[in-house]
Amino acid sequence: RQRQMCIRDSYGAASLGIDSTPIEGFDEDKMDKLLNLDNYGVHSVLVVTLGYDAEDDHNRTRPKSRLEQSKIFFDLDKFPG
């Protein structure tokens, strides 16, 4: 539930002109150690980048590079269980 609230709030940042992107696939244990979170009795569950969109960002207008859906998604029913 906390994770969902954080993601929802990060999207609310857009109303202030702040872009946000939730990050998946990080190593929670390494993140906790890096930020010394054990000292505070907490641990990481979510990473979100926050920042302002730069008008002069050359990536802003470039077409997005995406893999073909057939290389990303597959039907689990086709694999022996």
Side-chain angles (χ1 to χ4, degrees):
R1 175 143 166 81
Q2 294 290 343
R3 189 176 303 193
Q4 292 170 339
M5 289 171 49
C6 289
I7 291 173
R8 181 202 65 213
D9 292 345
S10 71
Y11 291 132
S15 67
L16 301 173
I18 301 171
D19 294 324
S20 63
T21 304
I23 306 294
E24 294 182 288
F26 69 97
D27 185 318
E28 290 112 347
D29 292 332
K30 288 183 181 180
M31 182 69 72
D32 293 351
K33 186 174 180 177
L34 176 72
L35 298 174
N36 296 315
L37 296 183
D38 288 341
N39 294 341
Y40 303 96
V42 297
H43 64 276
S44 57
V45 295
L46 181 71
V47 174
V48 177
T49 62
L50 296 168
Y52 295 99
D53 187 19
E55 294 289 332
D56 62 348
D57 181 0
H58 72 283
N59 287 313
R60 185 177 197 208
T61 58
R62 294 179 67 185
K64 300 297 179 199
S65 173
R66 303 284 189 253
L67 293 174
E68 295 176 25
Q69 288 188 6
S70 62
K71 293 184 179 183
I72 300 172
F73 302 105
F74 55 91
D75 187 348
L76 289 175
D77 292 331
K78 293 182 180 179
F79 290 88

